[in-house]
Amino acid sequence: MTAAVLVLENGQVFRGREYGAVGETLGEAVFCTAMTGYQETLTDPSYHRQIVVATAPQIGNTGWNNEDGESTGSAGSEGEVGDSGKIWVAGYAVRNPTRRVSNWRATTSLEDELERQGIVGISGIDTRTVVRVLRDHGSMRAGVFSGGALADDDELIARVRSQPSMKGANLAGEVSTDTGYLVEPASDPRFTVAAIDLGIKTNTPRMFAERGVAVHVLPADAGFDAIAELKPDGVFLSNGPGDPATADDAVELTRRVLGADLPLFGICFGNQILGRAFGRNTYKMKFGHRGINIPVIDAATGKVSITAQNHGFALEGEAGEEFDTDFGRARVSHVCANDGTVEGVELLSGRAFSVQYHPEAAAGPHDAAYLFDRFVSLLEADRAHGTRS
């Protein structure tokens, strides 16, 4: 086995063995508390430029398959493209990789897929200690080094500290589709939605399609004219990576959509974009929310949903807070039960709403799937009232 090290910005070094590709990778070290669904985590575009530390002690039991990826394509080290989903994480840190794959759907092992796609990882480290450091001191710049990339600790720490911070990073364009594509339902579509791909996961258009909605997925830099040309019944803002404070174009596009009175639904990064369009500010969280068991309170009803989340930035605000926007009165609709973080905003008119979590919840809870039904109901109401034909 080849030696490997995980180096944190604060100077701490964790020594283990290579896992996946051998070499060097840099990114922001974050931890994910999900006990299952590592394939969905690794292929989530929202993890772009992040080194994920798994809190589950054993990883890889179910191998890797061609069905559970949350991104399109899977370009490998030789440039070939597969169907299993492109891995977007910068690196992966685990404690105990399984020695045997046991799942009837597996086409390969996790380690082999990490190697094929050139993802540098590390195993055999005390991930509990790493998570405590990140929890107490916050997510920080980091690097994983193995093979020829190894050097003395001071040099590796210098490499880690030389990379840019996640704060101020404009990344949505790096994970978005270049040309756009269409996802259609099995039968004739009832409605059409324009989805802005800020890092969209593949299960989101499927959730719409199951409800009879055709989804035109558009690039992150799409302008309002591209939306208007489609004459959609509504607009969707997807999840994605990076600092929402840099996404001025997406915010301006959202303001155009709101000004045109098109129904709008956003999740995760899209929640932050809608909040900014409402005039709210965002901030970088200490260590963020990444997992599939995070409780969220609906401020209007008190109902709690267990949700899947992946975000390191959040909107400013408090539970139930109402405020004025250029598009009417709005409120903070949802908050995290753990720490009070804003988890949703909406116009009181009901024309636009968003949540910070992932209602498509592949490899996660299904408590929030009703939000897709809520959006479809809004489209149905528009049609019934003749707002749109």
Side-chain angles (χ1 to χ4, degrees), residues 182-195 204-217 230-236 262-263 351 372-389:
L182 173 64
V183 178
E184 296 185 279
S187 57
D188 291 338
R190 301 166 57 205
F191 302 102
T192 298
V193 165
T204 300
R206 285 199 297 261
M207 293 287 279
F208 277 118
E210 288 173 1
R211 291 159 172 80
V213 179
V215 182
H216 289 269
V217 181
L230 296 172
K231 297 182 179 179
D233 299 290
V235 175
F236 175 78
L262 280 166
R351 302 294 295 170
F372 288 96
D373 298 318
R374 174 183 172 184
F375 189 56
V376 170
S377 294
L378 178 57
L379 304 183
E380 290 172 340
D382 264 17
R383 181 164 296 175
H385 295 143
T387 306
R388 284 176 178 79
S389 58

Side-chain angles (χ1 to χ4, degrees), residues 207-352:
M207 293 287 279
F208 277 118
E210 288 173 1
R211 291 159 172 80
V213 179
V215 182
H216 289 269
V217 181
L218 301 178
D221 60 359
F224 183 75
D225 289 346
I227 293 177
E229 184 177 345
L230 296 172
K231 297 182 179 179
D233 299 290
V235 175
F236 175 78
L237 300 176
S238 83
N239 60 290
D243 187 344
T246 67
D248 292 342
D249 290 345
V251 172
E252 181 56 32
L253 175 64
T254 301
R255 290 180 61 83
R256 292 284 304 275
V257 170
L258 294 171
D261 197 32
L262 280 166
L264 186 143
F265 173 30
I267 67 170
C268 197
F269 199 73
N271 176 65
Q272 298 157 10
I273 298 304
L274 180 59
R276 281 198 58 201
F278 285 165
R280 311 297 285 186
N281 293 320
T282 59
Y283 65 94
K284 192 175 190 306
M285 303 170 72
K286 184 175 181 179
F287 50 78
H289 295 159
R290 296 174 182 88
I292 59 176
N293 60 346
I294 299 170
V296 170
I297 303 172
D298 185 324
T301 65
K303 179 181 177 181
V304 175
S305 295
I306 303 302
T307 69
Q309 299 194 21
N310 171 17
H311 65 109
F313 293 86
L315 287 169
E316 294 181 345
E318 298 180 359
E321 176 187 355
E322 294 191 8
F323 53 95
D324 291 320
T325 78
D326 293 338
F327 314 99
R329 193 79 170 157
R331 67 182 166 199
V332 174
S333 58
H334 298 76
V335 293
C336 180
N338 291 337
D339 57 15
T341 299
V342 173
E343 296 282 357
V345 290
E346 63 183 1
L347 288 176
L348 296 187
S349 66
R351 302 294 295 170

Side-chain angles (χ1 to χ4, degrees), residues 49-122:
R49 250 185 62 184
Q50 294 182 321
I51 297 172
V52 176
V53 181
T55 61
Q58 188 172 69
I59 294 292
N61 302 64
T62 55
W64 193 271
N65 63 61
N66 289 334
E67 301 172 49
D68 292 343
E70 281 295 322
S71 61
T72 57
S74 62
S77 57
E78 301 301 322
E80 74 274 15
V81 175
D83 300 320
S84 61
K86 174 179 170 58
I87 296 177
W88 279 106
V89 303
Y92 200 32
V94 305
R95 180 174 182 176
N96 180 23
T98 186
R99 290 176 291 178
R100 173 182 291 182
V101 172
S102 179
N103 188 275
W104 64 275
R105 296 190 306 151
T107 55
T108 188
S109 70
L110 169 58
E111 183 171 17
D112 286 348
E113 186 66 16
L114 290 170
E115 184 176 4
R116 190 186 79 82
Q117 295 203 37
I119 306 301
V120 177
I122 185 172

